[in-house]
Amino acid sequence: MDNLPGALGTSASLALRLGQTVFSSASLLFMCLNVDFYSYTSFCYLVTVMGLAIPWSLTLLVVDAHSVFIRCLPRQPRIILVIILGDLVLSFLLLAAASSTASVTDLLHDAGRSYCPANLCSRYQLSAAMAFLCWSLSFASSLFNLWLLPSL
């Protein structure tokens, strides 16, 4: 179980964290290109959750990079448990934010151009898609670390 792909300190975990960071930054960028996102609560919620996801993913990206490139860090059950819980909480927040953003964007798109111009709706849809991708990577890394926990 020491070489479980996707567990903390492996190159697969480094790739998962890099993907989380890229997708959450892209989601935040697409949402904030226009300042009209503050008009809807679900868009503000997505921006807030992405504001939490970026530092979390960056911190664990640095830990994984340190572990992969410099030296292997010892795995301690309490630290792994904190990372698992943080990933689970963040992944559920990401799923809620992505789902609410996608549903509000769909409603605005169906309401017509008066509520959501075409270029603005497409940015919101891209932001929701990036949030879903970030959620899938966060949930996957949480499950990989959860799988590692009993062997420690």
Side-chain angles (χ1 to χ4, degrees), residues 13-15 17-18 21 56-66:
S13 178
L14 180 67
R17 298 299 175 182
L18 183 63
T21 305
W56 175 261
S57 299
L58 274 175
T59 303
L60 292 176
L61 176 73
V62 169
V63 168
D64 282 333
H66 185 283

Side-chain angles (χ1 to χ4, degrees), residues 36-77:
D36 289 341
F37 75 88
Y38 61 85
S39 302
Y40 301 98
T41 306
S42 65
F43 297 163
C44 293
Y45 180 61
L46 180 74
V47 169
T48 303
V49 170
M50 288 304 158
L52 293 171
I54 292 171
W56 175 261
S57 299
L58 274 175
T59 303
L60 292 176
L61 176 73
V62 169
V63 168
D64 282 333
H66 185 283
S67 180
V68 168
F69 295 121
I70 297 180
R71 62 182 173 96
C72 188
L73 296 174
R75 294 182 176 143
Q76 299 174 354

Side-chain angles (χ1 to χ4, degrees), residues 104-128:
V104 168
T105 303
D106 189 43
L107 285 173
L108 288 175
H109 186 67
D110 289 343
R113 292 191 183 270
S114 62
Y115 290 103
C116 188
N119 64 347
L120 198 58
C121 271
S122 64
R123 279 193 227 152
Y124 293 155
Q125 288 171 341
L126 280 172
S127 180

Side-chain angles (χ1 to χ4, degrees), residues 79-102:
I79 293 175
I80 298 292
L81 185 63
V82 168
I83 291 172
I84 291 168
L85 291 176
D87 274 343
L88 278 175
V89 167
L90 189 64
S91 67
F92 286 122
L93 289 174
L94 284 168
L95 180 61
S99 299
S100 66
T101 299

